Amino acid sequence: MFTEIVLFLLDTVFTLFGMALLLRLWMQLTRLPSRNPVSQGVFQVTDWIVRPLRRIIPGIGGIDWATVLAAYLTAVAFLVCRALVLNADPVSFLPVILALAILSMLKWGISMVMWVTLLMAVLSWVNPQSPLAGPIWHLTAPLLRPIQRILPRLGGFDMSPLILFVIAQILLMVIGGLSRGVV
């Protein structure tokens, strides 16, 4: 039982931090202005690891590779900690850990898309004038627009967040299957 609690806490802490790093990347890719509470909070949480890496790894092709590397290193650290808690030798599983780290990053990113989409949908019903609504809409719009072009509104109701949520869930199932295949 103690091991399960430790694994749960590790998973929660590393997933939240990994999602924050990937959210930082997503914000940069969508050119979300940095003067909003979402951007400022994410930068505060992630600057300690991204800024030093930026001195070594430049952004190329519009992608902040320092943030990508930070997310990857976070995933590797998570899997090493997990192996240690389970009394496994992480060095002997290093090739598996390095491959699973990529899948963990994908899982974090897709889960983050689901949470942000869910938050966007709830805010649109509860408080569309919230200070978070603008940044959240800015982040989800590039993912929802292609779906909205294919699927028109039904009686004034936008089904695109639901479709995106279903697609993301299917992708998580595929990643889960790939993860089991690597191990």
Side-chain angles (χ1 to χ4, degrees):
M1 183 169 90
F2 178 74
T3 303
E4 291 173 11
I5 292 170
V6 172
L7 288 174
F8 168 74
L9 292 173
L10 278 174
D11 187 42
T12 301
V13 169
F14 277 96
T15 297
L16 289 174
F17 186 67
M19 283 183 177
L21 287 164
L22 294 174
L23 182 57
R24 180 185 182 121
L25 181 65
W26 189 9
M27 291 184 322
Q28 292 168 345
L29 291 173
T30 61
R31 301 191 193 298
L32 180 68
S34 60
R35 297 288 180 213
N36 65 70
V38 175
S39 296
Q40 291 174 353
V42 169
F43 290 143
Q44 282 180 337
V45 169
T46 59
D47 267 353
W48 69 271
I49 191 169
V50 173
R51 283 185 182 245
L53 288 173
R54 264 207 198 124
R55 292 185 195 125
I56 304 166
I57 302 165
I60 300 171
I63 296 174
D64 182 7
W65 291 103
T67 302
V68 173
L69 179 61
Y72 181 74
L73 292 174
T74 300
V76 169
F78 165 63
L79 294 168
V80 166
C81 288
R82 187 174 167 80
L84 291 171
V85 168
L86 294 171
N87 293 321
D89 178 22
V91 175
S92 63
F93 292 105
L94 194 58
V96 172
I97 287 173
L98 296 176
L100 283 176
I102 294 170
L103 294 176
S104 292
M105 282 177 52
L106 288 172
K107 180 181 163 192
W108 293 342
I110 293 167
S111 294
M112 180 189 53
V113 167
M114 289 174 63
W115 282 107
V116 171
T117 303
L118 182 62
L119 181 61
M120 188 257 337
V122 169
L123 279 176
S124 71
W125 297 327
V126 175
N127 188 2
Q129 303 305 321
S130 166
L132 293 177
I136 300 280
W137 182 86
H138 182 91
L139 290 170
T140 56
L143 299 173
L144 295 175
R145 262 189 241 119
I147 298 169
Q148 290 166 340
R149 280 189 218 119
I150 297 169
L151 185 68
R153 290 181 177 263
L154 301 173
F157 188 70
D158 184 9
M159 296 293 288
S160 61
L162 179 63
I163 301 300
L164 180 60
F165 205 82
V166 169
I167 291 168
Q169 189 61 45
I170 291 169
L171 289 172
L172 284 175
M173 289 178 194
V174 170
I175 290 170
L178 290 173
S179 296
R180 284 186 293 279
V182 170
V183 177

